[in-house]
Amino acid sequence: MTTKALNRANASQEVLFEVDLPKTAFITSFSIEIEGRIYVSEVREKEQARQQYESAVSSGQTAGLVKASGRNMEKFSVSVNIAPQSRVTFTLTYEELLKRRLGSYEIMIGVRPKQLVQNFEIVVDIYEPNGIAFVDVNSTFITNELLPLVEKTVTDKKAHVYFSPTLDQQKKCSACEETLIDGDLIIKYDVNHPQDIGEIQTREALMTILSELDEDDYFGLVTFDDTIESWKPFLSKATPENVTEAKEFVETIEARHLTDINKGLMYAVEMLTSEKSDFFPDMSMIILLTDGRPSAGEQDLSKIQENVRSAINGSMSLFCLGFGYDVDYGLLDTLAKQNDGLARRVYEASDAVLQLQGFYDEVATPLLLEVNLNYPGNAVTDLTQSHFRQFFKGSEIVVAGRLQELETDTIQTQVSAQGLEDQFVIGGLAITEEWDSVFPDQEYVFGDFTERLWAYLTIQQLLDKRETCSPEDKENITAEALDLSLRYNFVTPLTSMVVTKPETEDDEDETLIADKLTEEQREDITEPVDGDPHFIIELPDQNDALCFNIDEKPGTIFNLVKDPLTGIVVNGQIIGDKKLIPGSKMHTYFGRFGIVHEKLGIRLMVSTKEISVSEDGKQLDFSWTNNKTLNGLNMDLQVIKDRSLTVTLKNSVKFLIILHKIWKKHPYHQDYLGFYTLDSHLFSSNVHGLLGQFYHGVKFEVSDLFPGMDPDKQDANMFVKGHKLTVTRGWKRDFRQDVKNGENVPCWFIHNNGTGLLDGVHTDYIVSDTSTTRLLKIEVQSVKVDCKVTSRFAHTVMTTKALNKANVSQEVSFEVELPKTSFITNFSMEIDGKTYTGEVKEKEKAKEQYQKAVASGQTAGLVKASGRKMEKFSVSVNIVADIYEPQGIAFVDAYGTFMTNELLPLVEKTVTDKKAHVSFSPTLDQQRKCTECEGTLIDGDFFIKYDVNRPHDIGDIQIVNGYFVHFFAPANLPRVPKMVVFVIDNSLSMVGNKMAQTREALVTILGELPEEDYFAIIVFSSYFVVWRPHLSKATQENVKAAQEYVKTIEVFGSTELHNAVIHGVEMLYEERRNGTAPKNMVMMIILLTDGEPNKYPRSLPEIQESIRNANDGNITIFSLAFGNDANYGFLDTLSKQNNGLVRRIYEDSDAPLQLAVVKLDVHFRYPDNTVNSLTKSHFKQLYNGSEIMVAGRLNDLNDIDSFAFEVFAQGFDNNFEVKGQASTQKWETIFPDEEYIFGDFTERLWAYLTIQELLNKKDKGTPEEKGNATNEALSLSLKYNFVTPLTSMVVTKPKDETKSDTFIADKLTEEERGKPQRYGYAPIQASYPKTYVPPTYYVDGDPHFVLELPDQNDALCFNIDDKPGTIFNLVRDPRTGIVVNGQTIGDKKVIPGNKINTYFGRFGIIHEKFGIRLMVSTKEISVSEKGKQAKLFWTDTATVKGPNMDLQVIKGRSLTVTLRNSVKFLIILHKVWQKHPYHQDYLGFYTLDSHLFSSNVHGLLGQFYHGLQFEVSEPFPGKDPNKPDALMFVKGKELVVTRGWQRDFRQDVKNGENVPCWFIHNNGTGLLDGVYKDYIVSGLFKTI
C-alpha cells in the first residue's frame, strides 16, 4: 500500500497514514520517504524493540501500533510532521496466506482515505497455475454509480481487478468535499480443483445448526455449569423427529452460574467414546461453546488440558468457540490445538448467531480423516505440517517444504486418508518446472514467493506448536520461529517493527513500534486507578490515554463510580506511607475499596488484608492467602492468591482489583490496591464518579508539543470540555499482566488533581464511607409529612429542612410524589429567615411570566407525570397522619413498600371510635440499610387504608358553615348482573408485549366473571371478528372456551374502531330485545386500544357522535388506553359521553378492572328552596366497595336547621329508595378535637368536587357549555388556590441578591402526560428532577433548525441561508437505511429592503431496506413502496396503512409518517393566503423518535439525534438589548451565542409555541460537523 501526500500549507503539519490489515497478515516492510530521504523500518526481537520504544515515549513521542479494530482487521497507524510544501510517501507491505473457506479464498482490502484523493488506485493481480474458477468483487462502500468503475478481467490462470475513481466520482455529492470511499473492498475467488490428488447471542445458532444436520449424522447435546445435563445419554440419528425434539430441549436451556469446563468435556468425550463402532469411523468431533473461565470443579488450567488430551487420545477433534472478551481464550486455543481442532472468538454482536453458524458450516462436512501427505525423505526437508486430522468440504490443505538437491526433477508424492466407507489413497509424480514455464507473466509474481510462503506456514505452525509442547521444547520452538521472523522480516507476535519517524530539523527523530497482537491480547476499554492514586483513562478509539493524580490526606474516601440506573457504586479509601521519606511529599495509594450494587443487595469490601462480601444479608469473609472462587446468585468472585480479585456482577460489569505486596519490613511503604474496570461500556449513560464520568469516552484535542519544565517530558496544549489545559507527556503503569513491574502506558498527564478534565473538582467526589451510595453534600436534617384527613378529605403538608455543610454554594432539591387526583394549594421556601411563597395564577398569565423569565436564560420547574398514580414535584421519611370521621372508623391499616421486619414496629397506630393517629419516625440509625453505611431504607410509598362505619342506608350527611357533603355507600347490597362486550384492538401497533399482556389480562378477567353475567368478545383491526354471534352466559364451559380463543388472537392490519364498537352496541341491544338474558342487567362495553382510530371515512368527532347516538345513553363504555401512543383525549371524550371513564394502562400494568355493579341510575334529591350549587347528583352505576359523594351549599344559614332528602336507585330484582332528614349541628359537636381539623374543610371539599366535575364537563356539551364550565372552574381554582389544569403556581426562586429565577408548577391532564414539556435555560443545574422526555429535533420556518435537549433542560437553534432550490441532507442512517432530504423554496418575490427568506417546500424520505420513497410537497404527497405508487392530497383527511409504513393526513394541517418498528416523522403544512404578495405555502419537519436511530446517524439534524454535550457561561449583554449573549463551549470550540426563541407548531399550526433556545450564528458553524455546504445533495432521493 502506497500513499503520497503534499502539505500545501505554509506551516508544518501532521499527516496520518492509517491502514486496516487482515489479522492473519504479517507486515514485512514499511518506509517513509520525505523530499528524497527514505526512512526504512527494521524488524527486531520484541524485547529490544520495547526498550527502544519506552525510551521514546517518555519524551512525549507516540507509537503506531497494529491493534484490534474489528473481527477481521487490525489497524496500523503512523503520523509524521512534514514541512510546508513538502511531500511524503508511505509504503507498507504485508503478506498473508489466503485460506480456503466454504469453497473460496477472500482478499479483504481496507480503504479509508478520509478525504478526496487525486490519484486513487487499487490494483489486484491474481495468478493461479491451476486455473481460476471464478472471481467476485464486492465492497461495503460501492454504490450504483461506483459499480461500473470496478474493472475485472479473468483469463484461464490470471485475474486482474482495477478500481480507480476520479476526484468527482469519489465525492458524496457534486458540491461537497466528503469521500464515498470508506470501507472494505472484498475479492473472493476459487481455483480449479482436479478430481484426483489435489494440489498439495447460542440458542438461536443451535436451532439453525440443528436444522442443517444431515440425516446420516449422529449428534448429542450437553449443557454444563457445575452440573451436567444432556438431552439424551447417547447419540441420536439426525432424523426430523430427533431434530425437532432437540430444538425443544434447546429452547429450555437457561444461563446458570458456575463453569465446570473439565466435567462438561469429559462427559462429551465419554459419550462419543462409548458410541464408537463401525458406524462411527473416527469422524467424531466436540464443539465447545463457553464465555467464561472455569469456576467449578477442576480449575487448574494445565490439569484441564492434560485431562482432556488424555481422554481424547487423538480419537476425535475438539473445536472451541469463545464468546466475548471475558473468555480465557488461551485455554481454549491450547485445548483445540492439542486435540486437532481450532479455536475461534465469537464477537458479542447482533450477528453472533451468523458467526456461530458460519463456523459450523466450515466444520460441518468432514470428507476425510487422518490425512497424510507423504514425500520421499531423501528429497524433501523442512516440511511444514503434513498430517491433518480432518479435511473439510470447501477447505484446502497446504504443505510446503524445501528440496534437498536442486538437480531433482521429480518427487514421488502420496496422499492417504480414511474416507467414510473406504480408504483413500492416491499417488502421483511432482515434476519440477522452469520458473518461466510456471509463471510466464512476471508482473503477476512477487519475488521469492514460494520460499516466503514456506516461511509463513512454518512460522504459523511453530507459533501453534508453542501452545502444545513441553516447557523445554517451547524454548527451542520459540527461538526457531523468532529466527525465521527476523530472517524473512515478518512482524509476528515475537517481533516488532521499529520505524524511525522523521521530525523537523530542530527535533530529534521519533521512534515508533508496530506490534502484532495475539487474539488473546485484544481487549475492551480500560479505566484503571493504580499506584499513588494514578488515574488512567485508556482510549483506544483515539489511540491514546489520559492520566492524572489525586493528592489528598490519607483516609480520604473518593467516589470512583456511581451509576443510578444500574445501582452500582464503587468508592475507594486512600492510605499513606508508613512514614514520610525525608525530603519527599507524602505518597498515597488506595487501601480499601467498597463495591455496592443496590438493586442486587450486594456489598463488597476489599482491603489489603481481607475481602468481605454481603449478599442478601449473608456475610462471608476470606483472605488473600488462598486461591478461591465464589459463585453467588448475582456476583462471582475469583481470588488468585496474593495477586488479584476478579469481581463479576450478573449480566453486568467486571472489575479487577490487584494486590501490590510490599516487603513487610520496608521502612516507608506498605501494601496497596489497584482497581481496573473491564467492561465500562455496560454502564448506563448516567454513570459518573472520578472514573465513571469517562466510561463512555471523552473528546479532546492536543496541539503541537513544546518543551516543558522537565527536559525529558514535553508539554502540549489540550482542549477538553471547553477548557484549554497545559498537559505533559508521561507514562503510568498497567499491572494486569505483570503485577511486579507493570507495563508502561504512555499518556497525557493533567496537572492540579485533574482540574479541567474532571467535572467540578476532586473534592466534589469525597464521600463519608466506602459503602455510601451518594456524595454527601447537603445534609437533610428533618423531613416531616403531616396528613390530616377529615371526612375523607385529606390535607397533607410536607416539610423538609436541609443544611449546606460545604464551603461553597450548592443546589438543594425538593422532590415530592403527589397523587394524580390531588391539587397543590401552597408551596413556600424559607431561606435564612426569608420566605418565598407560591402564587396561583391563570395558566396563560403564568405562561407569559414564565416565557419572559426564560428569555433571559432562567429555568422552569414543572409538576409532571412520572408514573401510573404519582407525579413528581421529594421523598417522604417521617410521617404523621391524623384521621377524624364523625361516622366512626371501622379499621385502619398502615404499611409501606419499603417496610422491613425491623421497621415494622416503628409504625405506631392508635384507633378510637372516631379518631385514628398513625406515626412513623425512625431514627437515623434505624433508617440505615446497614450499621456501617449511609444508604437509607426509606425509599418507596407509605399507604394508610381505612373505612368508616356505615350504619344507615341513607349514608352520612355533614353540614358545616353553610356547606354540606353527603357520603353514600350502603352495605351488603346484592350485585347487579351485567352484560359486557370486550372490544379488543389487535392492530399491528399491539405487536409484542402489549398483545401478550392483553391476552393475559383477558384470560384473568374472564376467569373472574360471575356465572350470572353474560359476555361477548369482538376483536378488531382493519375489520372486526366476533368470537360468537351472541352473548354467552359465563358458565365454566363458556369461560374456558373464551380463554382458549383469547390465546389465539394475533395482530395485523389498521385500527377500524368505529364499526367494532357499533357492533358491540348492536349485540347488547339485540340481547335485550330477544330477552335471552334477564332484565335490568347492566350493559357495558370495555374497549381496549393502544392507538388512534382510522379517521376515514369518519373524523374523530364523527366517530364519537355516531357511537353516542347508537348507544342512546343506555350502555356504559369503559376505555382502556394502552401505553402513551393512544389518543387519550379521544377515548376520554368517548367514555364520558357514554357514562364511563377512561384509564391509561401502562405496559407493565397490574391494575385490576373494577366491574362489580350493585346499583343502577342512582338519584339524589334535595329541596330546591334549601340547597344550591349542587355537585353531580345522578350516577349511572354504584360499584361494590365504592362510595358516592354529593356536596352543595345551603341557601340561608340562619333560617335552616334541617332539610329532607331522598335517594332512589334501580336494583336487579327491585328498586331501592330511602328518605331521610339532615340536621345542622354545631361545629364543636361534630368535630370536638380541633387538632384533627384543617380550616373550612367542607367548603374546600365542595370546591374540590365542583372543580373536578366542571373539568369533566368542559370536555362534553356544546361550545358555549364548554366555555361556561371552563370559566367557572378557573374562577373556583383561583379563589381556593388550587393548581388545576387551568392554573399554574408561580414561584420566585432566589438565585442571589440581585437575581431570581421564576418557576412554574403546572397540573397536567392525563392527555398531556408524556408529551414534551418546554424548558428554559439554567446556568446552574435544574433543581427539579425530570422524568424522561424524548428530545425533539425539527426544522420549521426560514429554515430554523431547533434541537430540544430535555436532558440538558435546554434547546439550541440555528438558521441556514442558501439560495432557493438547494437540497439538504437532513437525516442519513446507513444502518437502518433511512434518509431524509429537504429542498428549500423562497418567497414569491423579495420584500423591498429585506433579504430573501427561504423555507422547506419539499421533503424526500427514503427507506432503502423497505423499498420506500415518499415525496411530500406543499401540493401533494406521493408514496412508492416496492414499486407500487399512490398519491394523497392535503385537501382530504386520509389514513394509509402499509406493511412497512403508515401515513396519516390531517386535512390542510399535517402528515404523520410511521415506519414499521422504527421512527415517526411529523410534517406540518403552513398554509399562506394564496394572494399574498410575497409569501407562499411551506413545510415543517419534526422527528419524534430520534432515539430509535442507530449511532451512525448523521445529517444536518441527524448528527444530534443521540445528544450533544455543551456548556454555556453566564449571559452578558449582546447587540440586541432584549437578547443576552453568552459563551458556549461545544465540540472543542468557543462560540458566542444569543438567547432567543423559535416556534414549535405541533400543537398550534397557526401561531406555534415559543421554544427558548441558544442561537448559533453563521449557519451553525462550530456546532455542525464541518460546514452546512457539506450537507448539500444533488437530488431529493439521493442516499449518499
Side-chain angles (χ1 to χ4, degrees), residues 325-338:
Y325 282 111
D326 296 342
V327 71
D328 188 335
Y329 190 85
L331 167 68
L332 301 185
D333 194 35
T334 303
L335 277 173
K337 287 173 180 173
Q338 287 178 340

Side-chain angles (χ1 to χ4, degrees), residues 1369-1553:
N1369 173 248
L1370 305 181
V1371 184
R1372 180 167 58 88
D1373 189 347
R1375 286 201 182 170
T1376 63
I1378 298 171
V1379 176
V1380 182
N1381 298 323
Q1383 185 173 30
T1384 59
I1385 56 174
D1387 286 332
K1388 296 175 183 175
K1389 59 181 179 178
V1390 182
I1391 302 172
N1394 285 12
K1395 73 176 183 71
I1396 192 162
N1397 292 313
T1398 55
Y1399 315 86
F1400 278 102
R1402 283 204 310 160
F1403 291 110
I1405 299 176
I1406 306 112
H1407 196 306
E1408 295 179 288
K1409 295 183 180 178
F1410 290 160
I1412 289 171
R1413 285 178 175 241
L1414 176 69
M1415 191 282 292
V1416 185
S1417 72
T1418 57
K1419 299 287 187 289
E1420 64 182 11
I1421 299 153
S1422 173
V1423 60
S1424 163
E1425 185 168 0
K1426 292 186 177 176
K1428 296 180 180 178
Q1429 301 270 353
K1431 273 193 180 180
L1432 302 170
F1433 296 94
W1434 290 103
T1435 51
D1436 299 299
T1437 292
T1439 299
V1440 176
K1441 291 186 182 270
N1444 297 309
M1445 178 175 65
D1446 294 346
L1447 301 178
Q1448 185 178 36
V1449 182
I1450 297 179
K1451 177 182 175 181
R1453 176 188 172 108
S1454 67
L1455 165 69
T1456 303
V1457 182
T1458 306
L1459 296 168
R1460 189 187 76 186
N1461 299 329
S1462 186
V1463 295
K1464 184 182 286 188
F1465 300 118
L1466 176 70
I1467 296 174
I1468 287 177
L1469 172 65
H1470 295 275
K1471 297 287 287 180
V1472 178
W1473 180 45
Q1474 287 187 348
K1475 297 182 180 180
H1476 197 289
Y1478 303 112
H1479 304 319
Q1480 59 177 319
D1481 296 351
Y1482 65 94
L1483 302 173
F1485 175 83
Y1486 296 73
T1487 312
L1488 305 184
D1489 296 294
S1490 56
H1491 63 285
L1492 296 177
F1493 281 96
S1494 81
S1495 57
N1496 292 38
V1497 68
H1498 211 259
L1500 273 174
L1501 278 179
Q1503 62 190 286
F1504 306 107
Y1505 280 173
H1506 293 293
L1508 178 72
Q1509 294 301 316
F1510 64 91
E1511 294 179 15
V1512 181
S1513 69
E1514 287 284 351
F1516 54 84
K1519 291 182 179 179
D1520 186 333
N1522 297 317
K1523 296 179 180 179
D1525 283 359
L1527 290 177
M1528 175 178 287
F1529 303 94
V1530 62
K1531 294 185 177 180
K1533 302 178 183 69
E1534 182 180 293
L1535 310 177
V1536 175
V1537 294
T1538 301
R1539 194 63 175 174
W1541 49 263
Q1542 303 296 348
R1543 291 189 181 275
D1544 181 337
F1545 292 92
R1546 281 177 293 172
Q1547 304 301 321
D1548 183 348
V1549 173
K1550 185 177 180 183
N1551 302 307
E1553 183 178 354

Side-chain angles (χ1 to χ4, degrees), residues 122-142:
I122 297 176
V123 181
V124 179
D125 289 311
I126 305 168
Y127 186 87
E128 293 288 355
N130 260 46
I132 296 173
F134 70 87
V135 176
D136 287 335
V137 183
N138 289 299
S139 166
T140 58
F141 59 83
I142 293 287

Side-chain angles (χ1 to χ4, degrees), residues 509-528:
D509 288 343
E510 186 175 346
T511 302
L512 300 183
I513 302 294
D515 269 343
K516 175 80 175 172
L517 301 186
T518 64
E519 181 64 36
E520 197 172 358
Q521 291 169 326
R522 308 180 198 282
E523 293 177 357
D524 201 358
I525 299 173
T526 307
E527 279 88 2

Side-chain angles (χ1 to χ4, degrees), residues 43-203:
V43 177
R44 293 188 183 178
E45 196 245 331
K46 204 178 202 85
E47 194 55 42
Q48 291 178 359
R50 180 177 167 177
Q51 291 170 9
Q52 186 173 348
Y53 164 75
E54 288 186 352
S55 173
V57 294
S58 64
S59 61
Q61 297 163 6
T62 60
L65 293 178
V66 181
K67 63 181 188 301
S69 66
R71 301 176 192 165
N72 305 311
M73 306 295 277
E74 52 192 13
K75 199 177 291 295
F76 175 88
S77 60
V78 171
S79 61
V80 174
N81 194 290
I82 59 172
Q85 307 302 320
S86 293
R87 299 175 188 273
V88 61
T89 301
F90 299 99
T91 305
L92 176 73
T93 306
Y94 64 87
E95 294 173 8
E96 63 172 326
L97 175 64
L98 304 179
K99 288 191 175 181
R100 190 167 185 259
R101 285 197 180 122
L102 300 177
S104 67
Y105 306 91
E106 180 178 281
I107 304 167
M108 184 181 290
I109 301 172
V111 279
R112 294 170 176 83
K114 299 182 180 177
Q115 60 177 284
L116 301 175
V117 178
Q118 186 70 44
N119 298 304
F120 184 90
E121 191 177 53
I122 297 176
V123 181
V124 179
D125 289 311
I126 305 168
Y127 186 87
E128 293 288 355
N130 260 46
I132 296 173
F134 70 87
V135 176
D136 287 335
V137 183
N138 289 299
S139 166
T140 58
F141 59 83
I142 293 287
T143 63
N144 291 336
E145 289 78 13
L146 288 177
L147 204 55
L149 305 181
V150 179
E151 298 176 13
K152 183 176 73 174
T153 309
V154 184
T155 58
D156 178 29
K157 299 180 180 182
K158 295 186 294 183
H160 176 79
V161 177
Y162 184 75
F163 176 61
S164 181
T166 65
L167 270 176
D168 287 339
Q169 290 166 337
Q170 294 172 46
K171 292 181 179 181
K172 285 190 175 180
C173 63
S174 57
C176 55
E177 294 299 311
E178 290 185 18
T179 178
L180 284 169
I181 315 298
D182 183 14
D184 299 315
L185 185 73
I186 301 162
I187 300 168
K188 288 189 176 183
Y189 76 95
D190 200 12
V191 300
N192 297 320
H193 293 276
Q195 295 297 314
D196 49 85
I197 190 169
E199 193 201 341
I200 315 231
Q201 290 220 2
T202 309
R203 192 185 286 119

Side-chain angles (χ1 to χ4, degrees), residues 1006-1007 1009 1015 1033-1044:
L1006 289 167
L1009 287 175
F1015 72 99
K1033 195 175 186 193
T1035 61
Q1036 287 185 1
E1037 296 79 11
N1038 287 336
V1039 166
K1040 187 174 181 181
Q1043 290 173 326
E1044 291 302 316

Side-chain angles (χ1 to χ4, degrees), residues 197 200 375-376 380 403 408-414 427-433:
I197 190 169
I200 315 231
Y375 308 91
V380 175
L403 301 184
T408 305
D409 292 328
T410 60
I411 303 173
Q412 182 67 42
T413 64
Q414 184 187 64
L429 206 59
I431 303 171
T432 61
E433 296 179 75

